[in-house]
Amino acid sequence: ETVRIEIQDEGPGFDPKKLPDPTSDEFLDRPNGRGVLLIQTFMSRVEYPGRGNLVIMDNIGQPLFYRRMPQRTTDFNKHDDGRLSFFHDATLRYYLLDGTYTVVDSFETGNGYLTDNHEFQLLSNGHGLMMAYDPQPVRMDTVIAGGDSNAVVTGLIIQEVNANKVVVFQWRSWDHMSILDVNSCNEDLLSENIDYVHGNSIERDTDGNLLISSRHLNEITKINRQTGAIMWRMGRNAFRNQFTFVNDPRGFSHQEDA
């Protein structure tokens, strides 16, 4: 039995030979920098093919599929029907691959929004769920004392696009979430640029409604797929939490997926 691991790096790349030793005394107290060491420990073979490549490896690190891409690609994932998709940074589109790794379709958000590379869910009816980040000028001095009158605040857009690439559902954080809901050490409401939601995953629940993960809210939100109304908001460290957490004094924060 084989475990297949799909790996992609969203960063600009690095030279593994120049990485500092995370086991040295000067780096022991750092909260990061151990990922490569862990991978090398658990894999019998590790390769660094460079930036912009699609790679699938088995459970011992042997490449099962490899394709060199001319530009940066991210979010390389497998869907429920077995097909693969990836996000292409140059075109701001998701591309769908069939069982022969041939590109057979592409998806992007509509209504003038630029597709974000955090999430693409291919539904059984051929529709695609995607998100877009929406930067807007906001006079933050009218929202909070000391706020920047020329601030740019980034909201979240969720869309469902059908097989003909028509937007059949759209949800905007501006209509449902306050900028003051942000609860992140990464965001300063007095700064000139504020990413107050930072959505990073969408999941269709068993009842057909949508679950959204918002990193900068420390929150999982359930949205009614028909009306767009918020059904509930969950997160022990979220300002708008509606749940009681039993025997969980910490909760989650800055989650990357839900």
Side-chain angles (χ1 to χ4, degrees):
E1 201 169 310
T2 299
V3 176
R4 188 169 71 177
I5 303 174
E6 303 174 9
I7 297 179
Q8 47 86 20
D9 182 1
E10 296 187 6
F14 61 91
D15 184 350
K17 297 179 181 179
K18 296 181 180 180
L19 293 177
D21 180 4
T23 64
S24 63
D25 292 342
E26 60 184 311
F27 291 104
L28 288 179
D29 292 332
R30 291 195 177 186
N32 51 24
R34 298 175 179 84
V36 172
L37 175 65
L38 291 173
I39 289 295
Q40 290 173 335
T41 300
F42 291 107
M43 291 291 187
S44 61
R45 178 181 176 187
V46 179
E47 296 182 350
Y48 302 90
R51 182 183 182 187
N53 301 314
L54 304 178
V55 182
I56 300 176
M57 296 191 302
D58 63 16
N59 59 325
I60 62 171
Q62 295 295 324
L64 300 176
F65 166 73
Y66 172 84
R67 177 173 296 168
R68 183 176 294 277
M69 305 296 289
Q71 289 93 20
R72 183 172 180 257
T73 56
T74 56
D75 202 29
F76 185 34
N77 285 310
K78 183 180 179 181
H79 297 279
D80 290 342
D81 66 358
R83 290 188 288 180
L84 303 168
S85 67
F86 66 89
F87 183 80
H88 192 263
D89 283 26
T91 60
L92 299 179
R93 282 173 174 257
Y94 275 95
Y95 291 89
L96 194 63
L97 309 178
D98 65 12
T100 66
Y101 304 113
T102 301
V103 173
V104 293
D105 206 348
S106 67
F107 287 80
E108 63 180 334
T109 49
N111 297 339
Y113 293 108
L114 299 179
T115 314
D116 179 73
N117 67 348
H118 274 92
E119 181 68 287
F120 171 62
Q121 290 281 341
L122 182 66
L123 305 180
S124 58
N125 60 1
H127 292 200
L129 288 172
M130 292 170 286
M131 59 178 57
Y133 283 13
D134 183 29
Q136 296 289 339
V138 176
R139 286 201 55 173
M140 284 301 295
D141 58 334
T142 66
V143 178
I144 188 172
D148 191 326
S149 61
N150 295 307
V152 174
V153 181
T154 299
L156 177 68
I157 309 297
I158 301 295
Q159 288 186 353
E160 181 178 332
V161 178
N162 68 15
N164 295 320
K165 310 307 181 287
V166 176
V167 177
V168 295
F169 174 79
Q170 178 172 289
W171 183 90
R172 304 180 341 131
S173 65
W174 306 108
D175 302 325
H176 303 275
M177 295 171 165
S178 167
I179 297 172
L180 297 178
D181 290 348
V182 64
N183 186 18
S184 170
C185 58
N186 297 326
E187 298 304 311
D188 179 2
L189 290 177
L190 304 184
S191 68
E192 61 181 357
N193 291 290
I194 304 166
D195 180 7
Y196 88 101
V197 181
H198 198 91
N200 52 31
S201 77
I202 315 169
E203 192 75 33
R204 188 166 72 169
D205 205 352
T206 54
D207 59 6
N209 297 306
L210 304 180
L211 298 172
I212 297 174
S213 167
S214 299
R215 179 180 174 88
H216 289 171
L217 303 180
N218 298 325
E219 180 179 303
I220 310 301
T221 312
K222 187 165 186 176
I223 296 172
N224 187 298
R225 166 59 182 79
Q226 301 303 316
T227 67
I230 290 180
M231 302 175 68
W232 49 252
R233 304 176 71 170
M234 180 179 71
R236 193 182 190 284
N237 298 301
F239 287 144
R240 301 294 182 181
N241 173 55
Q242 297 174 302
F243 288 77
T244 298
F245 292 83
V246 179
N247 298 324
D248 182 8
R250 298 182 61 185
F252 59 83
S253 69
H254 294 77
Q255 74 283 352
E256 191 62 31
D257 187 81

Short mmCIF file of all heavy atoms in Angstrom, two decimals, residues 195-248:
data_model
loop_
_atom_site.label_atom_id
_atom_site.label_comp_id
_atom_site.label_asym_id
_atom_site.label_seq_id
_atom_site.Cartn_x
_atom_site.Cartn_y
_atom_site.Cartn_z
N ASP A 195 -5.37 43.38 6.33
CA ASP A 195 -6.01 42.19 5.77
C ASP A 195 -6.86 41.59 6.88
O ASP A 195 -6.42 40.74 7.64
CB ASP A 195 -4.93 41.21 5.30
CG ASP A 195 -5.49 39.94 4.71
OD1 ASP A 195 -6.73 39.86 4.54
OD2 ASP A 195 -4.71 39.02 4.43
N TYR A 196 -8.11 42.02 6.97
CA TYR A 196 -8.86 41.75 8.19
C TYR A 196 -9.49 40.36 8.26
O TYR A 196 -9.85 39.91 9.34
CB TYR A 196 -9.90 42.85 8.43
CG TYR A 196 -11.28 42.68 7.80
CD1 TYR A 196 -12.36 42.24 8.56
CD2 TYR A 196 -11.51 43.02 6.48
CE1 TYR A 196 -13.63 42.13 8.02
CE2 TYR A 196 -12.77 42.93 5.92
CZ TYR A 196 -13.83 42.47 6.70
OH TYR A 196 -15.08 42.37 6.15
N VAL A 197 -9.62 39.66 7.13
CA VAL A 197 -10.23 38.33 7.14
C VAL A 197 -9.19 37.24 6.86
O VAL A 197 -9.02 36.32 7.63
CB VAL A 197 -11.36 38.22 6.11
CG1 VAL A 197 -12.00 36.84 6.16
CG2 VAL A 197 -12.41 39.29 6.35
N HIS A 198 -8.52 37.33 5.76
CA HIS A 198 -7.53 36.36 5.28
C HIS A 198 -8.14 34.96 5.24
O HIS A 198 -7.72 34.04 5.94
CB HIS A 198 -6.27 36.36 6.15
CG HIS A 198 -5.09 35.70 5.45
ND1 HIS A 198 -4.20 36.41 4.69
CD2 HIS A 198 -4.69 34.40 5.40
CE1 HIS A 198 -3.29 35.59 4.20
NE2 HIS A 198 -3.57 34.36 4.61
N GLY A 199 -9.16 34.80 4.39
CA GLY A 199 -9.73 33.48 4.20
C GLY A 199 -8.72 32.53 3.57
O GLY A 199 -7.92 32.95 2.72
N ASN A 200 -8.74 31.26 3.97
CA ASN A 200 -7.77 30.33 3.40
C ASN A 200 -8.34 28.95 3.07
O ASN A 200 -7.61 28.10 2.58
CB ASN A 200 -6.54 30.19 4.31
CG ASN A 200 -6.89 29.87 5.75
OD1 ASN A 200 -7.88 29.21 6.01
ND2 ASN A 200 -6.06 30.33 6.67
N SER A 201 -9.62 28.71 3.35
CA SER A 201 -10.20 27.45 2.88
C SER A 201 -11.72 27.56 2.82
O SER A 201 -12.34 28.32 3.56
CB SER A 201 -9.79 26.26 3.78
OG SER A 201 -10.52 26.25 4.99
N ILE A 202 -12.29 26.77 1.90
CA ILE A 202 -13.74 26.64 1.75
C ILE A 202 -14.07 25.15 1.72
O ILE A 202 -13.35 24.36 1.10
CB ILE A 202 -14.26 27.26 0.44
CG1 ILE A 202 -13.64 28.64 0.18
CG2 ILE A 202 -15.78 27.36 0.43
CD1 ILE A 202 -13.90 29.16 -1.22
N GLU A 203 -15.13 24.78 2.37
CA GLU A 203 -15.58 23.38 2.33
C GLU A 203 -17.10 23.37 2.25
O GLU A 203 -17.77 24.11 2.99
CB GLU A 203 -15.13 22.64 3.59
CG GLU A 203 -15.29 21.14 3.52
CD GLU A 203 -14.24 20.48 2.63
OE1 GLU A 203 -13.10 20.97 2.57
OE2 GLU A 203 -14.59 19.47 1.99
N ARG A 204 -17.65 22.56 1.36
CA ARG A 204 -19.11 22.41 1.33
C ARG A 204 -19.51 21.36 2.36
O ARG A 204 -19.05 20.22 2.32
CB ARG A 204 -19.60 22.01 -0.05
CG ARG A 204 -21.13 22.05 -0.12
CD ARG A 204 -21.66 21.98 -1.53
NE ARG A 204 -21.48 20.66 -2.12
CZ ARG A 204 -22.06 20.29 -3.27
NH1 ARG A 204 -22.80 21.16 -3.94
NH2 ARG A 204 -21.86 19.09 -3.76
N ASP A 205 -20.36 21.75 3.30
CA ASP A 205 -20.80 20.86 4.35
C ASP A 205 -21.78 19.83 3.79
O ASP A 205 -22.26 19.95 2.66
CB ASP A 205 -21.45 21.67 5.48
CG ASP A 205 -21.39 20.98 6.82
OD1 ASP A 205 -20.98 19.80 6.86
OD2 ASP A 205 -21.75 21.61 7.84
N THR A 206 -22.11 18.83 4.59
CA THR A 206 -23.00 17.77 4.14
C THR A 206 -24.41 18.27 3.83
O THR A 206 -25.15 17.63 3.08
CB THR A 206 -23.08 16.66 5.21
OG1 THR A 206 -23.45 17.25 6.47
CG2 THR A 206 -21.73 15.97 5.38
N ASP A 207 -24.80 19.41 4.38
CA ASP A 207 -26.12 19.97 4.11
C ASP A 207 -26.11 20.95 2.93
O ASP A 207 -27.12 21.60 2.65
CB ASP A 207 -26.68 20.65 5.36
CG ASP A 207 -25.79 21.79 5.87
OD1 ASP A 207 -24.79 22.13 5.20
OD2 ASP A 207 -26.09 22.33 6.96
N GLY A 208 -24.97 21.07 2.26
CA GLY A 208 -24.88 21.94 1.09
C GLY A 208 -24.44 23.36 1.39
O GLY A 208 -24.18 24.14 0.47
N ASN A 209 -24.35 23.72 2.66
CA ASN A 209 -23.88 25.06 3.03
C ASN A 209 -22.36 25.08 3.10
O ASN A 209 -21.70 24.05 2.97
CB ASN A 209 -24.53 25.48 4.35
CG ASN A 209 -26.04 25.59 4.23
OD1 ASN A 209 -26.56 26.29 3.37
ND2 ASN A 209 -26.77 24.86 5.08
N LEU A 210 -21.79 26.25 3.30
CA LEU A 210 -20.35 26.43 3.17
C LEU A 210 -19.68 26.72 4.50
O LEU A 210 -20.20 27.49 5.32
CB LEU A 210 -20.04 27.57 2.19
CG LEU A 210 -20.65 27.45 0.79
CD1 LEU A 210 -20.27 28.66 -0.06
CD2 LEU A 210 -20.20 26.15 0.11
N LEU A 211 -18.50 26.12 4.69
CA LEU A 211 -17.65 26.40 5.84
C LEU A 211 -16.42 27.16 5.35
O LEU A 211 -15.76 26.73 4.40
CB LEU A 211 -17.22 25.10 6.52
CG LEU A 211 -18.32 24.23 7.10
CD1 LEU A 211 -17.74 22.90 7.57
CD2 LEU A 211 -19.00 24.94 8.27
N ILE A 212 -16.14 28.27 6.01
CA ILE A 212 -15.01 29.11 5.61
C ILE A 212 -14.05 29.27 6.78
O ILE A 212 -14.47 29.53 7.91
CB ILE A 212 -15.50 30.50 5.15
CG1 ILE A 212 -16.37 30.38 3.91
CG2 ILE A 212 -14.33 31.42 4.87
CD1 ILE A 212 -16.99 31.68 3.49
N SER A 213 -12.77 29.10 6.50
CA SER A 213 -11.73 29.35 7.50
C SER A 213 -11.15 30.74 7.26
O SER A 213 -10.73 31.07 6.15
CB SER A 213 -10.63 28.30 7.39
OG SER A 213 -9.49 28.69 8.14
N SER A 214 -11.12 31.56 8.33
CA SER A 214 -10.58 32.93 8.25
C SER A 214 -9.44 33.06 9.26
O SER A 214 -9.67 33.12 10.46
CB SER A 214 -11.67 33.96 8.53
OG SER A 214 -12.71 33.86 7.59
N ARG A 215 -8.25 33.09 8.75
CA ARG A 215 -7.05 33.07 9.59
C ARG A 215 -6.96 34.25 10.54
O ARG A 215 -6.62 34.12 11.71
CB ARG A 215 -5.81 33.02 8.69
CG ARG A 215 -4.47 33.02 9.42
CD ARG A 215 -3.32 32.97 8.43
NE ARG A 215 -2.03 33.10 9.07
CZ ARG A 215 -1.32 32.10 9.56
NH1 ARG A 215 -1.80 30.87 9.49
NH2 ARG A 215 -0.14 32.31 10.11
N HIS A 216 -7.27 35.45 10.05
CA HIS A 216 -7.09 36.64 10.87
C HIS A 216 -8.29 36.94 11.78
O HIS A 216 -8.26 37.91 12.53
CB HIS A 216 -6.78 37.85 9.99
CG HIS A 216 -5.41 37.79 9.38
ND1 HIS A 216 -4.97 38.67 8.42
CD2 HIS A 216 -4.37 36.93 9.62
CE1 HIS A 216 -3.74 38.36 8.09
NE2 HIS A 216 -3.36 37.31 8.80
N LEU A 217 -9.31 36.09 11.71
CA LEU A 217 -10.42 36.17 12.65
C LEU A 217 -10.36 35.05 13.69
O LEU A 217 -11.15 35.05 14.64
CB LEU A 217 -11.77 36.08 11.91
CG LEU A 217 -12.05 37.10 10.82
CD1 LEU A 217 -13.42 36.85 10.21
CD2 LEU A 217 -11.97 38.52 11.35
N ASN A 218 -9.43 34.09 13.49
CA ASN A 218 -9.38 32.89 14.34
C ASN A 218 -10.75 32.19 14.34
O ASN A 218 -11.22 31.74 15.38
CB ASN A 218 -8.99 33.24 15.78
CG ASN A 218 -7.61 33.85 15.87
OD1 ASN A 218 -6.71 33.49 15.12
ND2 ASN A 218 -7.45 34.79 16.79
N GLU A 219 -11.33 32.08 13.15
CA GLU A 219 -12.73 31.70 13.09
C GLU A 219 -13.05 30.74 11.95
O GLU A 219 -12.49 30.85 10.86
CB GLU A 219 -13.58 32.97 12.94
CG GLU A 219 -15.08 32.74 12.86
CD GLU A 219 -15.83 34.06 12.74
OE1 GLU A 219 -15.66 34.92 13.62
OE2 GLU A 219 -16.57 34.23 11.76
N ILE A 220 -13.97 29.81 12.24
CA ILE A 220 -14.63 29.00 11.22
C ILE A 220 -16.07 29.51 11.13
O ILE A 220 -16.76 29.61 12.15
CB ILE A 220 -14.64 27.50 11.57
CG1 ILE A 220 -13.25 27.02 11.95
CG2 ILE A 220 -15.22 26.70 10.41
CD1 ILE A 220 -12.22 27.21 10.87
N THR A 221 -16.51 29.84 9.93
CA THR A 221 -17.83 30.43 9.74
C THR A 221 -18.66 29.55 8.82
O THR A 221 -18.16 29.09 7.78
CB THR A 221 -17.70 31.83 9.10
OG1 THR A 221 -16.72 32.59 9.80
CG2 THR A 221 -19.03 32.56 9.12
N LYS A 222 -19.91 29.32 9.20
CA LYS A 222 -20.82 28.57 8.33
C LYS A 222 -21.76 29.55 7.64
O LYS A 222 -22.39 30.38 8.29
CB LYS A 222 -21.62 27.53 9.11
CG LYS A 222 -22.45 26.62 8.20
CD LYS A 222 -22.95 25.39 8.91
CE LYS A 222 -23.65 24.45 7.95
NZ LYS A 222 -24.07 23.18 8.59
N ILE A 223 -21.85 29.43 6.32
CA ILE A 223 -22.62 30.36 5.50
C ILE A 223 -23.73 29.62 4.77
O ILE A 223 -23.49 28.55 4.19
CB ILE A 223 -21.70 31.06 4.47
CG1 ILE A 223 -20.66 31.93 5.20
CG2 ILE A 223 -22.51 31.90 3.51
CD1 ILE A 223 -19.61 32.48 4.28
N ASN A 224 -24.92 30.17 4.80
CA ASN A 224 -26.04 29.59 4.07
C ASN A 224 -25.81 29.76 2.57
O ASN A 224 -25.68 30.89 2.08
CB ASN A 224 -27.34 30.28 4.49
CG ASN A 224 -28.57 29.61 3.90
OD1 ASN A 224 -28.74 29.55 2.70
ND2 ASN A 224 -29.43 29.11 4.78
N ARG A 225 -25.75 28.64 1.86
CA ARG A 225 -25.44 28.68 0.43
C ARG A 225 -26.55 29.35 -0.38
O ARG A 225 -26.30 29.90 -1.46
CB ARG A 225 -25.19 27.24 -0.06
CG ARG A 225 -25.18 27.04 -1.56
CD ARG A 225 -24.12 27.85 -2.28
NE ARG A 225 -24.21 27.61 -3.71
CZ ARG A 225 -25.09 28.18 -4.53
NH1 ARG A 225 -26.00 29.02 -4.03
NH2 ARG A 225 -25.09 27.90 -5.82
N GLN A 226 -27.76 29.37 0.11
CA GLN A 226 -28.87 29.96 -0.63
C GLN A 226 -29.00 31.46 -0.40
O GLN A 226 -29.21 32.23 -1.34
CB GLN A 226 -30.18 29.27 -0.25
CG GLN A 226 -30.19 27.76 -0.51
CD GLN A 226 -29.90 27.41 -1.95
OE1 GLN A 226 -30.43 28.04 -2.87
NE2 GLN A 226 -29.07 26.41 -2.16
N THR A 227 -28.83 31.90 0.85
CA THR A 227 -29.07 33.30 1.19
C THR A 227 -27.80 34.09 1.47
O THR A 227 -27.81 35.32 1.44
CB THR A 227 -29.96 33.40 2.44
OG1 THR A 227 -29.24 32.90 3.58
CG2 THR A 227 -31.24 32.59 2.25
N GLY A 228 -26.70 33.40 1.75
CA GLY A 228 -25.47 34.09 2.12
C GLY A 228 -25.41 34.48 3.59
O GLY A 228 -24.38 35.00 4.05
N ALA A 229 -26.47 34.25 4.33
CA ALA A 229 -26.50 34.63 5.74
C ALA A 229 -25.54 33.75 6.55
O ALA A 229 -25.36 32.57 6.25
CB ALA A 229 -27.91 34.49 6.30
N ILE A 230 -24.94 34.34 7.57
CA ILE A 230 -24.09 33.58 8.46
C ILE A 230 -24.96 32.72 9.38
O ILE A 230 -25.87 33.23 10.03
CB ILE A 230 -23.18 34.50 9.29
CG1 ILE A 230 -22.11 35.13 8.38
CG2 ILE A 230 -22.51 33.74 10.44
CD1 ILE A 230 -21.16 36.06 9.10
N MET A 231 -24.68 31.43 9.43
CA MET A 231 -25.45 30.51 10.25
C MET A 231 -24.84 30.39 11.65
O MET A 231 -25.55 30.31 12.63
CB MET A 231 -25.51 29.14 9.57
CG MET A 231 -26.15 29.19 8.18
SD MET A 231 -26.10 27.61 7.29
CE MET A 231 -27.23 26.64 8.26
N TRP A 232 -23.51 30.35 11.71
CA TRP A 232 -22.82 30.41 13.00
C TRP A 232 -21.36 30.78 12.79
O TRP A 232 -20.82 30.68 11.69
CB TRP A 232 -22.95 29.12 13.81
CG TRP A 232 -22.66 27.80 13.15
CD1 TRP A 232 -23.58 26.85 12.79
CD2 TRP A 232 -21.38 27.24 12.79
NE1 TRP A 232 -22.95 25.75 12.24
CE2 TRP A 232 -21.60 25.96 12.24
CE3 TRP A 232 -20.07 27.70 12.89
CZ2 TRP A 232 -20.56 25.14 11.77
CZ3 TRP A 232 -19.02 26.90 12.43
CH2 TRP A 232 -19.28 25.64 11.88
N ARG A 233 -20.74 31.21 13.91
CA ARG A 233 -19.33 31.60 13.90
C ARG A 233 -18.65 30.89 15.08
O ARG A 233 -19.12 31.00 16.21
CB ARG A 233 -19.18 33.12 14.00
CG ARG A 233 -19.93 33.83 12.89
CD ARG A 233 -19.88 35.34 13.01
NE ARG A 233 -18.55 35.86 12.70
CZ ARG A 233 -18.29 37.16 12.53
NH1 ARG A 233 -19.26 38.05 12.67
NH2 ARG A 233 -17.07 37.56 12.24
N MET A 234 -17.55 30.21 14.79
CA MET A 234 -16.92 29.38 15.82
C MET A 234 -15.43 29.67 15.91
O MET A 234 -14.73 29.78 14.91
CB MET A 234 -17.12 27.89 15.51
CG MET A 234 -16.49 26.97 16.54
SD MET A 234 -16.76 25.21 16.17
CE MET A 234 -15.70 25.01 14.74
N GLY A 235 -14.95 29.78 17.14
CA GLY A 235 -13.53 29.96 17.41
C GLY A 235 -13.35 30.49 18.81
O GLY A 235 -13.80 31.60 19.11
N ARG A 236 -12.70 29.74 19.66
CA ARG A 236 -12.55 30.17 21.05
C ARG A 236 -11.82 31.51 21.14
O ARG A 236 -12.05 32.29 22.05
CB ARG A 236 -11.78 29.11 21.85
CG ARG A 236 -11.83 29.32 23.36
CD ARG A 236 -11.02 28.28 24.10
NE ARG A 236 -11.27 28.35 25.53
CZ ARG A 236 -10.76 29.28 26.34
NH1 ARG A 236 -9.98 30.21 25.84
NH2 ARG A 236 -11.04 29.27 27.63
N ASN A 237 -10.94 31.78 20.17
CA ASN A 237 -10.18 33.02 20.16
C ASN A 237 -10.74 34.04 19.16
O ASN A 237 -10.06 35.00 18.82
CB ASN A 237 -8.72 32.72 19.85
CG ASN A 237 -8.07 31.84 20.89
OD1 ASN A 237 -8.02 32.19 22.06
ND2 ASN A 237 -7.60 30.67 20.48
N ALA A 238 -11.96 33.81 18.70
CA ALA A 238 -12.62 34.74 17.80
C ALA A 238 -13.52 35.69 18.58
O ALA A 238 -14.17 35.28 19.55
CB ALA A 238 -13.44 33.99 16.76
N PHE A 239 -13.56 36.94 18.19
CA PHE A 239 -14.39 37.92 18.89
C PHE A 239 -15.87 37.60 18.77
O PHE A 239 -16.67 37.97 19.65
CB PHE A 239 -14.12 39.32 18.35
CG PHE A 239 -12.79 39.90 18.78
CD1 PHE A 239 -12.06 40.70 17.91
CD2 PHE A 239 -12.28 39.64 20.04
CE1 PHE A 239 -10.85 41.23 18.31
CE2 PHE A 239 -11.07 40.18 20.44
CZ PHE A 239 -10.35 40.98 19.57
N ARG A 240 -16.29 36.93 17.69
CA ARG A 240 -17.71 36.66 17.46
C ARG A 240 -18.08 35.19 17.69
O ARG A 240 -19.07 34.72 17.17
CB ARG A 240 -18.08 37.06 16.03
CG ARG A 240 -17.83 38.52 15.70
CD ARG A 240 -18.72 39.43 16.51
NE ARG A 240 -18.51 40.84 16.15
CZ ARG A 240 -19.15 41.85 16.70
NH1 ARG A 240 -20.06 41.61 17.64
NH2 ARG A 240 -18.90 43.08 16.32
N ASN A 241 -17.29 34.49 18.48
CA ASN A 241 -17.55 33.08 18.75
C ASN A 241 -18.94 32.87 19.37
O ASN A 241 -19.36 33.62 20.25
CB ASN A 241 -16.48 32.54 19.70
CG ASN A 241 -16.79 31.14 20.16
OD1 ASN A 241 -16.99 30.24 19.36
ND2 ASN A 241 -16.84 30.96 21.47
N GLN A 242 -19.65 31.85 18.91
CA GLN A 242 -20.99 31.53 19.42
C GLN A 242 -21.04 30.17 20.10
O GLN A 242 -22.12 29.68 20.42
CB GLN A 242 -21.99 31.56 18.26
CG GLN A 242 -22.13 32.92 17.61
CD GLN A 242 -23.03 32.88 16.39
OE1 GLN A 242 -22.78 32.14 15.44
NE2 GLN A 242 -24.09 33.67 16.40
N PHE A 243 -19.88 29.57 20.36
CA PHE A 243 -19.84 28.22 20.92
C PHE A 243 -19.17 28.21 22.28
O PHE A 243 -18.38 29.09 22.62
CB PHE A 243 -19.07 27.28 19.98
CG PHE A 243 -19.82 26.94 18.72
CD1 PHE A 243 -19.89 27.86 17.67
CD2 PHE A 243 -20.45 25.72 18.57
CE1 PHE A 243 -20.58 27.56 16.50
CE2 PHE A 243 -21.14 25.40 17.40
CZ PHE A 243 -21.21 26.32 16.38
N THR A 244 -19.50 27.18 23.06
CA THR A 244 -18.82 26.92 24.33
C THR A 244 -17.87 25.76 24.14
O THR A 244 -18.25 24.70 23.62
CB THR A 244 -19.84 26.56 25.44
OG1 THR A 244 -20.73 27.67 25.64
CG2 THR A 244 -19.12 26.26 26.75
N PHE A 245 -16.61 25.94 24.53
CA PHE A 245 -15.60 24.91 24.37
C PHE A 245 -15.33 24.27 25.73
O PHE A 245 -14.88 24.93 26.67
CB PHE A 245 -14.32 25.51 23.79
CG PHE A 245 -14.48 25.97 22.37
CD1 PHE A 245 -15.02 27.22 22.08
CD2 PHE A 245 -14.11 25.15 21.31
CE1 PHE A 245 -15.18 27.65 20.77
CE2 PHE A 245 -14.28 25.56 20.01
CZ PHE A 245 -14.81 26.81 19.73
N VAL A 246 -15.61 22.98 25.82
CA VAL A 246 -15.46 22.25 27.08
C VAL A 246 -14.07 21.63 27.15
O VAL A 246 -13.62 20.96 26.21
CB VAL A 246 -16.54 21.16 27.20
CG1 VAL A 246 -16.37 20.39 28.51
CG2 VAL A 246 -17.93 21.79 27.12
N ASN A 247 -13.38 21.87 28.26
CA ASN A 247 -12.04 21.30 28.49
C ASN A 247 -11.06 21.68 27.39
O ASN A 247 -10.20 20.87 26.99
CB ASN A 247 -12.12 19.77 28.62
CG ASN A 247 -12.97 19.33 29.80
OD1 ASN A 247 -12.95 19.97 30.85
ND2 ASN A 247 -13.71 18.25 29.64
N ASP A 248 -11.21 22.86 26.87
CA ASP A 248 -10.28 23.37 25.85
C ASP A 248 -9.92 24.81 26.19
O ASP A 248 -10.55 25.75 25.71
CB ASP A 248 -10.92 23.29 24.46
CG ASP A 248 -9.98 23.77 23.36
OD1 ASP A 248 -8.80 24.01 23.65
OD2 ASP A 248 -10.44 23.90 22.20
#
